Amino acid sequence: MDSGEGCSDELTLSTAPRELTQNPLKKIWMPCKNGLPEKHIFQRKVCMTNCPTLIVTVGLPARGKTYISKKLTRYLNWIGVPTKEFNVGQYRRDCLKIYKSFEFFSPDNEEGLKIRQQCASAALSDVRQYLTDEGGQVAVFDATNTTRERRETITRFAEQNGFKVFFVESVCEDPAVIAENIVQVKLGSPDYTHCNTDEAVEDFMKRIKCYENSYETLDEVLDKELSYIKIIDVGRRYLVNRVQDHIQSRIVYYLMNIHITPRSIYLCRHGESDLNIKGRIGGDSGLSLRGKDFAKQLGEFILEQDISDLKVWTSQMKRTIQTAEALNVPYEQWKALNEIDAGVCEEMMYEEIQDHYPLEFALRDQDKYRYRYPKGESYEDLVQRLEPVIMELERQENVLVICHQAVMRCLLAYFLDKSAEELPYLKCPLHTVLKLTPVAYGCKVESIFLNVDAVNTHRDKPQNVEVSRMAGEALRTVPAHQ
Amino acid sequence: MSLKHTELTQNPLQKIWVPWMSSKLNRRRGSSVPQFTNSPTMIVMVGLPARGKTYISKKLTRYLNWIGVPTKVFNVGQYRRDAVRTYKNFEFFRPDNEEAMKIRRACALSALKDVGTYFMLEHGQVAVFDATNTTRERREVILSYAKDNGYKVKWFSYSRHTVVFFIESICDDPEIIAENIKQVKLSSPDYTDCDKEEAVADFLKRIECYKVTYVPLDDDKDSHLSYIKIFNVGSRYLVNRVQDHIQSRIVYYLMNIHVTPRTIYLCRHGESELNLLGRIGGDSGLSRNGSKFAAALGRYIKSQNIPDLKVWTSHMKRTIQTAEALGVPYEQWKALNEIDAGVCEELTYEEIQANYPEEFALRDQDKYRYRYPKGESYEDLVQRLEPVIMELERQENVLVTCHQAVMRCLLAYFLDKSAEELPYLKCPLHTVLKLTPVAYGCKVESVFLNVEAVNTHRGRPAGDEPMCSLVSPYRHTRAKPMASPTPTRAPRLQDLGVTSLSLQVLQCPERSGQSIPQSFEINASFQQ
């Protein structure tokens, strides 16, 4: 880069433009000095905030605060924002060891109040450590936080530490919803392992009563300087006040799209393809005979499941569309569901990649999540591109997604809260449908093999990931193919 | 099940796989973007004058069209201007002015009728009904029109009813209202012959006329309706019963836009090595002139004295090199990468013509929807750029250093250009486009930084009219940006069935009724 030659233009900049080097793993161009990358890397992370954010839940017991906390945490981590939840009830359980009855929560139980105060402080202290020392970006402080006084304490704490605060209040008076909550998540709580259902429900209702008298909801006037979202009746209505930045805007959008209507999500890959049989990755081939057979079986399986109003989504690659065609129902094509782009390695066998690009092959094994194929994509890129799919999946009810191995791993990691390390190695075999049903705070998974044989396309991480390794070591875990 | 079901063919233009035989049972959607809604949506604005309803209507319409949802604004004030021709003063809007009330009601109904036509005959998906709609009675009229006239269309055994979504803007900050009046009311056709103070005084009295009968959306009585209430230009929102995907997107968009004055700078990377060779795509570095441009860009940016400027680049070397020369922090966005030319990457146009003549021809037939083999289309680009646009809306002063096709897409969003125009927008190297929001649109300044560069613009082939796309004509919403259609010219007063008119005719001369231009270009050259 020749910036100074023959110019009468003076560079008013203090330094000449820096040389660039391309990081070999992620293929990101970064400034470097003497061939070594410079310290600062300004690359677009999905959510760029400078201050860490403290999300504070507000609401009576059984209003879905923990459900929201966990789900939001899972979503933020998946899109790449390090997030952790801090459940004060858990601190209390660790402190108290034994829960006797609702009387612990009585407003005139001084002993109880003291302990609860201490637990909240302990949790806040851990929050500070997470956000300041451990590289956390968002902390979710999950507790009732039903008094203005408690919330002011938290706000002061956040100011002192340079955190932004965003409140998420859940307001609900529908007795049916509350009853369902209690059944789903309270009866199974450690607090009630020794009680029968009726006892537990009765005690919990009395517990709620303890909070009701001192409950000060976020007020339009008194709290108008705060940033918050108030969720009313499980999403029928929202009140949003003073969204400060990008991450809060994303959080609001997410919260406004989730629902709790029971439904099932079916994930599967296309039927076995011609390239699968040859052990080649990528490409846009059609189904093999066995693949077509699978498509037929899938159609029958779907009919048996008798799913009301099922939406079917495919990618824009021939093999997923062929699979969907056999179902004889309408389907939507999403380009975002296309398989990971292997760039220069498209349609190669692993053996050929090892042959032509041994360095790339090794780098991929070193960090499969962040590794980007030359002129291609990484799993990290995939997650970015799949985010609108996840958002729409949250909005929808019963959906069947017919996609590809890497894509399915990313979607599965979202639903099952898998880390970036685990994600690229999740097992998503051909001809197997994963049925996901939301339950309590998580997701139940049923794996259904549709009894049509197929090649195995799963390559485990080999033991030796060094660049210096022998071809044999690199190829040890390659699955068999033609 | 017959194996024939799995026979597919790939549409040569968009590279979309579609079944060989389309059957009535299979409602195959050959679009490259998922279609989320069958029902048309009517967005109904609510609010006193000068609360930003038209600003929101136009902006929202521009956004929806850009992301591929055919949308049109129906501004009842415009119908009124076309019907009444001359505006005398605020007395027209007095609630006890029966004659005027009849006219205003007729205008609203005429607009509603046009909404129906737009949905049924023009493949419209969203209609924005831009009027005050400040009384419960008026809103009931609209709701029952949507329900009864239903705009029912039978398609493949689906029937479409109209979904209604209200957007209410509530503001009591006198400063904001005064600024509104200054920005868009003083130059309205209603006030071309008045001096500033007269206009403001009249307009404020006009607002008072509405206040008397204004009934905002009520959280209890209207709890069954779908709506968003925007308070004080976005400091607070109330969202009730979002029904579907498009409403969710609309809410998200509305919650991200702001009216703080700011400037967006768009430019390409400096001239690259591959540019010099006439090759497309790739990931080459800057040429000598490209580096000179980067330095000139740095000087230009400094001279603009922009507070808190954010700088964005793609992940490609040439944009990053350009940003490096600015000496300020920048963010890399993969979404800003140049269009992927697939098998044509790093070829010259001559080589493409020689090796892929059919592809070359198809591209010229429908450059917006044409997808390179193993590559992307402009249509794909728009999809991928949507988060960039959303974040641009949230931000204030931003410089985006990107690529030709990408810059065309972004520019089309800001200047409301259609899918036909978008791929041919002129975005030459070494030229910065400075966009400043003004009134209802965007002012554009084109600043050439006086460093030579090759011309990479390939215009429409001479004599060729863009042909109809070869994509099978499945009925669905096409995902291509359409410039917001010009507002419907309403029939004259006589046609509305209003025969007698006792309004006094003004002495003022006929007005052209021209609305404020949405964009205008100033060509400037930055002298070093």
Side-chain angles (χ1 to χ4, degrees), chain A residues 46 73 92 114 161 262 283 294 301 303 337 362 399 455 476:
Chain A
V46 181
T73 300
R92 187 258 308 158
K114 225 177 22 173
N161 288 286
F294 162 74
F301 171 73
L303 274 172
L337 286 171
V399 188
V455 295
R476 189 152 298 154

Side-chain angles (χ1 to χ4, degrees), chain A residues 13 18 29 42 44 220 236-238 240-242 246 249 257 284 316 325-326 331-333 392, chain B residues 1 17 28-29 35 219 235 237 239-241 245 248 256 283 324-325 330-332 371 391:
Chain A
L13 307 165
R18 299 173 291 191
W29 288 102
F42 291 103
R44 178 72 192 178
E220 246 175 60
R236 188 180 51 80
R237 177 185 297 179
Y238 304 93
V240 180
N241 200 62
R242 292 196 187 277
H246 177 94
S249 163
N257 280 317
D284 194 15
Q316 287 191 343
E325 276 289 322
Y331 57 87
E332 300 272 7
Q333 296 186 18
E392 190 56 23
Chain B
M1 233 177 262
W17 289 102
R28 211 56 59 222
R29 299 208 176 106
Q35 310 306 310
D219 294 334
S235 78
Y237 304 91
V239 180
N240 199 63
R241 291 197 188 276
H245 176 93
S248 162
N256 281 318
D283 193 16
E324 275 287 319
Y330 55 89
E331 284 184 39
Q332 299 186 18
R371 187 184 276 169
E391 189 56 20

